[in-house]
Amino acid sequence: MRPFAIWLAAFVVVFGVFAFISNNVRGTEEVFVLVDSSFEMQDVWTRVAVELDRIDDARYSEFALATEKSTVHGYQERLRIGDVVPFAPCDNDRVDDYPQIETADRLVMITRAGSCLTEGLQGDWEIIELEP
């Protein structure tokens, strides 16, 4: 019985060290999320928060959030849209000015079909189109 207890203790220690190291060595993915906050998004606006919650469920990730009009928050563990209210037409001409685009590992845009032109976006964007 004693050899088994020694083997079990050694196994638990080795497995614990491996789990600790693999959890802490893994790099953090930076995800930049751009939300279309134009007036055309008003009827799907409640679904934006649900989509943000789905995105920020990714492990080992930090998220920065902006609208096509302004920055909402920098990199943090959760996406929080706050008190952003959809207004004005979509204008993504200034989107490339966000510095997070250069450093992000993943780029995501949440919009509605026909609301915002996505063809001019620089980089490899994942476009999520919400349906009314």
Side-chain angles (χ1 to χ4, degrees):
M1 184 70 169
R2 184 176 174 156
F4 177 71
I6 292 170
W7 177 85
L8 183 62
F11 177 78
V12 169
V13 168
V14 169
F15 184 74
V17 168
F18 175 74
F20 177 78
I21 290 172
S22 65
N23 190 42
N24 290 324
V25 169
R26 181 182 170 104
T28 301
E29 180 182 46
E30 291 184 337
V31 180
F32 178 69
V33 180
L34 180 70
V35 175
D36 174 3
S37 65
S38 66
F39 56 76
E40 293 186 24
M41 292 287 289
Q42 287 178 346
D43 58 342
V44 294
W45 194 249
T46 56
R47 296 188 42 225
V48 169
V50 173
E51 194 63 33
L52 292 175
D53 187 46
R54 185 190 64 77
I55 292 169
D56 73 14
D57 286 343
R59 294 184 62 192
Y60 307 110
S61 299
E62 289 186 337
F63 308 92
L65 180 63
T67 68
E68 82 285 2
K69 297 170 182 74
S70 66
T71 300
V72 177
H73 64 73
Y75 286 107
Q76 60 186 34
E77 290 184 8
R78 296 281 173 227
L79 289 165
R80 302 285 182 240
I81 195 70
D83 57 355
V84 174
V85 177
F87 71 97
C90 179
D91 179 19
N92 60 3
D93 291 340
R94 298 176 299 180
V95 168
D96 294 329
D97 295 339
Y98 291 120
Q100 294 93 340
I101 291 176
E102 299 298 322
T103 61
D105 299 311
R106 183 175 162 210
L107 301 170
V108 179
M109 180 176 186
I110 299 174
T111 187
R112 180 178 169 184
S115 173
C116 218
L117 297 177
T118 58
E119 293 82 26
L121 296 174
Q122 302 296 318
D124 188 23
W125 286 84
E126 174 186 339
I127 308 296
I128 299 172
E129 290 186 351
L130 300 178
E131 297 294 326

